[in-house]
Amino acid sequence: MGGDGGVVATNRTYMRGAGSASHTADSKRASASAIAEAERESIAETMKSCAITGSKLNYNEEIVVCPYGKLYGREAAVKALLRRLEGEKNGGNGSNDNDSASTNTNLGWHVRGLKDLKTVRFQTTEIKTKNGETQKVPVCPITSIELNGLQPAFLIVKKKMKKKKKKKDKNNDEQQETEAEDQPNVLSEKAIKQMGADALQEEYVPFEQ
């Protein structure tokens, strides 16, 4: 260029930061995989932690989910709603609290009460971690795929049925509903595609699609 023997601008072989170097011009490329990995870990963490307290979910205790798919320990959700109610009574918005451990993440105003939260029943299995410890993880009851947040999953929500006047099969219907309420209600997307909505309606009683 200019007859001074300089390099050609398009010949990146001789340019600083060219190739696969992990510095200067290629720093963004090198960090892309790290960013993607961090995003995967963050998504996976949503299936393990309470969105209010940040603590690990106890799969032996009751867990609820909001319309946005965030998981909460039911006890933590109830306490958050009570704090909000007390804040409103005191003239505030209920979102400010001195208890930083319980207000790092608010329930969000899309949750107006317990009626906006649905009970989650995971099927769990035990796995060994890299440290050799045993821990419970949620899995799909049909495909046994681990529900780690990276696999699309859906909550089966019972459809509200109109009350029937006939009492002929009342006992049988109540038994079926009780059984359905005791079984896991979180399925992987793969299971829904394999089984089909109609077959699942029979297995889990009518549910909202």
Side-chain angles (χ1 to χ4, degrees), residues 37-62:
E37 180 63 24
E39 289 179 351
R40 285 193 293 269
E41 290 180 358
S42 177
I43 293 172
E45 195 65 23
T46 61
M47 293 294 290
K48 303 176 183 178
S49 305
C50 172
I52 297 175
T53 64
S55 59
K56 296 293 183 182
L57 289 169
N58 185 343
Y59 297 113
N60 294 325
E61 298 179 355
E62 191 168 355

Side-chain angles (χ1 to χ4, degrees), residues 172-192:
N172 187 37
D173 292 341
E174 289 180 351
Q175 183 180 357
Q176 290 181 350
E177 289 181 5
T178 301
E179 291 176 354
E181 290 174 356
D182 291 337
Q183 64 186 161
N185 62 351
V186 183
L187 306 177
S188 65
E189 183 181 51
K190 184 177 181 180
I192 294 175

